[in-house]
Amino acid sequence: MRLRPIAAIALRQLYLMRSSPTRMLPMVAWVAIDMVLWGFISRYLNSVTAARINFTFSLLGAVLFWDFFTRVMQGVNLAFLEDVWARNFINLFASPLLISQYLGGLVLTAIATSLIGLLAMLAIATPLFGLHYAALGLLLIPFVMVLFLFGIALGVLTSGMVLRLGPASEWLVWPIPALLSPFVGVFYPLSTLPSWMQAVGHALPPSYVFEAMRAGLAGHAYPAFDLALAVALAALYILLACAAFTRIYRYAVRSGLLARYSAESMS
Amino acid sequence: MPTLALNASRLSKRYGSLRAVEEISFSVHHGEIVGLLGPNGAGKTTTINMVLGILQPSSGSVQIEGIDIARHRSAALAHTNFAAAYAALPGNLTVAQNLRIFGLLYDVAGLSQRIDELLDEFDLRRLRNTRSGLLSSGEQTRVALAKAVLNRPRLLLLDEPTVSLDPSAADLMRIRIRAMASESGCGILWTSHNMYEVEQTCHRVLFVSRGRILLEGDPKALPQEHGAQTLEELFIRLAREPLNQSTAAS
């Protein structure tokens, strides 16, 4: 596969961010606000709770992981939406660009933007609230990988949804992380949930990350098999999301949706 | 090297019961400028979209440089490029950034040098760091044309490329495009509603109406052959003909 078209998609985002503080600021502003808010809540709970629970990890750490996942997903979405807003699809897809290259470019952009968000979060959470992720050691790798892969999968799938339903469906994308958060047990064990919600949670890879994190904090062994399952599940979702995007793209080419893509919703 | 830059064969596009394009066949030779003429809604843009691979024909085939676009989309599109008034380049990128992005998308070799050449050729050097969205419509057209020739295409599709240009700039553009066709051997498919321009520029024209090719020939000879004084008169007559027929039928 030629790499220059992938670089072109990512470079476009770099040009946009470099010249636009309004694009740069949200990458760090919201996560910084989350870190400060949850950092102080964790500090307060640590000071008033008799039980020896480390809220810095179980709350602030969980928020950081969840924000990272959200940034990855939105990294894909925002890069895609830039093309929607600029009505750039005809220029892009009348070129030799392949769908796999386009998605590769979106993923490359998401890697860069989510890393910036992650570094911003760590820069606040570590010195101010004593959240030391280094303590997790090598476990950080599967944790981050699961969240990253699932973020990409959801970003690609929801971008496909916007391609299919039209630009007006953009608002459907933003609440999706909030919609999923009760099911994946960001702040509580899955066993807290009713059985049908647990079943949904088990189908969502991030739930294994938060369960593993809590197991580690409670001094139990990390469930290596569960984490491997989560990585496999997230990888499977990426394949399914890419297949869905490709199918929607083909429909858009067949039906004329791509050629007439505009600010209005499509049926 | 294939003799045809473009070969469209029995191309149709239907949306339910609506027949946007109906079994049209045409070709563009290397070095030839073919005008695609017709009233609004005739199927010109639908045809161009099918040639560009962003609209799948209901039936028929498109070959660019002998490569079937349905089977080898990327390879076929590597030989082509386009400029259209309805497909402006991203306005939030500068002229140079847009050319670089599209140069990478088309995998242009020696890209920096090529961009430099085009900035001079299209008189864009002083605008290179200006955002495309801030340019006048004439300047935007020049940027779109610079992008369209970035990869030295063997087939160039131009959908009303001079619509926003003043007469002098439009004339210069026509001269440049004619020179490009004759010097590089690039085949050009050109749509325009400016009949003077079509007569001056095109070697051959196709009149399209209601998704069908009604007439084909030399734009200078066609009016006389069909009892019209000018190409514009012929255009008006052909454009109204199906309408008059359908009105009479109803």
Side-chain angles (χ1 to χ4, degrees):
Chain A
M1 188 195 292
R2 289 176 305 124
L3 298 179
R4 291 178 90 201
I6 298 175
I9 300 300
L11 184 63
R12 166 165 150 70
Q13 304 304 322
L14 176 68
Y15 283 152
L16 288 175
M17 284 176 219
R18 206 174 59 178
S19 62
S20 169
T22 52
R23 284 183 174 84
M24 283 297 288
L25 193 63
M27 276 198 291
V28 293
W30 299 118
V31 292
I33 290 167
D34 266 353
M35 286 303 100
V36 171
L37 176 67
W38 287 92
F40 282 119
I41 292 173
S42 303
R43 185 179 286 178
Y44 170 70
L45 290 174
N46 278 338
S47 69
V48 297
T49 312
R52 292 175 184 270
I53 300 171
N54 183 352
F55 285 101
T56 306
F57 247 104
S58 60
L59 277 186
L60 184 61
V63 168
L64 189 146
F65 275 141
W66 191 244
D67 268 356
F68 172 68
F69 157 76
T70 305
R71 294 296 128 190
V72 174
M73 178 192 147
Q74 291 181 350
V76 175
N77 291 139
L78 283 168
F80 174 80
L81 285 169
E82 288 289 356
D83 289 321
V84 173
W85 297 327
R87 301 186 181 194
N88 199 30
F89 284 148
I90 293 181
N91 289 316
L92 286 179
F93 293 119
S95 79
L97 180 71
L98 301 169
I99 287 296
S100 52
Q101 291 167 332
Y102 182 62
L103 293 178
L106 298 185
V107 170
L108 199 57
T109 308
I111 290 173
T113 54
S114 61
L115 272 179
I116 291 170
L118 182 63
L119 291 174
M121 288 190 284
L122 288 174
I124 294 168
T126 305
L128 291 185
F129 302 105
L131 182 70
H132 293 291
Y133 266 110
L136 286 172
L138 290 176
L139 272 168
L140 257 179
I141 295 172
F143 282 13
V144 168
M145 188 181 283
V146 168
L147 295 169
F148 175 76
L149 293 177
F150 190 58
I152 294 295
L154 217 53
V156 170
L157 184 69
T158 49
S159 296
M161 185 183 78
V162 174
L163 178 59
R164 175 65 184 85
L165 300 177
S169 64
E170 172 195 330
W171 71 270
L172 290 171
V173 171
W174 308 123
I176 283 177
L179 202 69
L180 292 182
S181 62
F183 292 93
V184 299
V186 180
F187 301 117
Y188 43 76
L190 284 192
S191 56
T192 316
L193 300 171
S195 56
W196 73 270
M197 285 183 79
Q198 284 186 42
V200 175
H202 282 302
L204 300 170
S207 67
Y208 297 92
V209 171
F210 295 109
E211 291 287 270
M213 191 182 81
R214 276 186 291 271
L217 286 174
H220 303 138
Y222 286 104
F225 175 78
D226 284 0
L227 283 174
L229 180 68
V231 172
L233 206 53
L236 175 68
Y237 283 139
I238 286 199
L239 292 178
L240 291 175
C242 290
F245 188 97
T246 305
R247 199 180 164 88
I248 291 167
Y249 168 79
R250 286 187 183 144
Y251 167 80
V253 171
R254 201 171 54 245
S255 66
L257 180 61
L258 189 72
R260 292 174 296 167
Y261 204 78
S262 72
E264 295 304 314
S265 297
M266 303 290 170
S267 59
Chain B
M1 184 189 289
T3 54
L4 295 177
L6 169 66
N7 186 28
S9 174
R10 305 188 70 180
L11 215 49
S12 293
K13 185 65 193 177
R14 290 182 288 275
Y15 298 102
S17 60
L18 176 72
R19 297 177 174 200
V21 170
E22 188 68 15
E23 296 240 330
I24 65 171
S25 296
F26 63 95
S27 56
V28 179
H29 292 78
H30 289 120
E32 186 184 30
I33 304 176
V34 176
L36 193 60
L37 312 181
N40 296 327
K44 304 185 298 293
T45 299
T46 301
T47 303
I48 283 187
N49 285 342
M50 287 192 280
V51 172
L52 285 172
I54 54 170
L55 182 63
Q56 186 180 318
S58 302
S59 60
S61 67
V62 172
Q63 289 190 334
I64 297 169
E65 291 288 294
I67 303 169
D68 189 326
I69 195 166
R71 291 183 184 178
H72 306 286
R73 181 186 162 280
S74 187
L77 290 175
H79 294 291
T80 189
N81 209 323
F82 79 106
Y86 53 83
L89 298 178
N92 47 17
L93 296 181
T94 68
V95 171
Q97 286 171 343
N98 264 317
L99 293 177
R100 181 157 298 279
I101 297 292
F102 284 95
L104 290 170
L105 285 174
Y106 282 88
D107 207 9
V108 175
L111 182 56
S112 296
Q113 191 187 338
R114 181 67 179 147
I115 291 171
D116 265 355
E117 286 169 14
L118 291 171
L119 289 174
D120 287 334
E121 195 178 329
F122 287 86
D123 193 21
L124 293 166
R125 186 162 291 281
R126 70 191 165 83
L127 301 170
R128 64 175 299 154
N129 294 320
T130 306
R131 287 188 189 189
S132 297
L134 299 176
L135 301 176
S136 70
S137 52
E139 289 165 341
Q140 285 188 23
T141 303
R142 291 196 334 249
V143 179
L145 285 165
K147 171 259 171 190
V149 299
L150 199 51
N151 59 327
R152 298 183 177 89
R154 303 297 294 155
L155 172 69
L156 182 59
L157 298 128
L158 301 172
D159 203 346
E160 301 191 50
T162 57
V163 74
S164 308
L165 299 179
D166 63 65
S168 165
D171 187 54
L172 288 173
M173 200 59 68
R174 286 192 290 270
I175 291 169
R176 185 172 291 146
I177 289 168
R178 275 199 301 267
M180 212 179 95
S182 62
E183 287 163 15
S184 72
C186 165
I188 296 174
L189 185 63
W190 176 309
T191 77
S192 175
H193 288 142
N194 181 338
M195 294 302 116
Y196 166 78
E197 174 175 280
V198 169
E199 252 184 275
Q200 293 297 306
T201 315
C202 298
H203 300 110
R204 186 159 56 96
V205 292
L206 309 166
F207 269 108
V208 182
S209 186
R210 307 244 164 152
R212 290 174 182 273
I213 295 175
L214 300 182
L215 270 185
E216 181 177 350
D218 181 341
K220 292 186 175 72
L222 266 180
Q224 285 183 333
E225 287 171 10
H226 292 84
Q229 296 291 316
T230 62
L231 195 61
E232 184 148 329
E233 187 188 320
L234 182 61
F235 179 99
I236 292 168
R237 192 199 299 166
L238 286 167
R240 289 178 183 171
E241 212 165 56
L243 185 67
N244 291 341
Q245 280 171 3
S246 61
T247 307
S250 63

